[in-house]
Amino acid sequence: MDIERVQLQMHGDHGGMLIALEQDINVPFVIRRVYYIFATEHDVHRGKHAHRHLRQLAVAVRGSVTILLDDGSGPVEVVLNDPSQGLLMGDMVWRELYDFSEDCVLMVLADHLYDPADYITDYDAFLSEVKGIPYPAGLVACQSV
Ligand code: TYD
């Protein structure tokens, strides 16, 4: 699966901690967009989509969140609860975000501007696309098995 947990270098001194995110240094892509998710209610599930062409680095700069990731071979759960840990996600990975702590601030860096056309929001369509089967033909094929 095109995901990787990364440990971010911390710069500590007597006054606290600092982490720098730098393009091509510890962020392995061109940073075109930064967004952050916060004030998410605990019972809310976000995400539920995949991107065709988007690399992202997610960091829970505060609090915690669980992220389910699936490239078609089955789901993997990752908990982000440490501002020094990042999660790199590549193309064609289905993700769902849940179990947000009340204080969670999830910051995400991305290599493209926001583009609704890059989203796949239907899981069956995602499975078909990731397996190289045109949708809805893939859905029809699955149903006839
Ligand atoms: P969405 O990607 O659906 O968030 P999530 O998957 O976490 O639920 O985005 C929520 C809203 O924010 C939607 O109206 C689109 C908007 N949005 C932007 O305008 N720019 C962005 O970079 C992102 C990620 C979302």
Side-chain angles (χ1 to χ4, degrees), residues 62-83:
R62 187 177 178 91
S64 66
V65 60
T66 301
I67 306 181
L68 176 148
L69 302 145
D70 182 1
D71 66 355
S73 60
V76 170
E77 261 191 353
V78 172
V79 175
L80 290 182
N81 58 5
D82 180 340

Side-chain angles (χ1 to χ4, degrees), residues 33 35 37 45-49 51 56 97 113-114 119:
R33 177 165 55 113
Y35 62 93
I37 296 169
H45 280 225
R46 300 192 61 126
K48 295 190 177 177
H49 63 250
H51 291 279
Q56 295 186 293
L97 294 79
L113 301 182
Y114 175 63
Y119 282 61

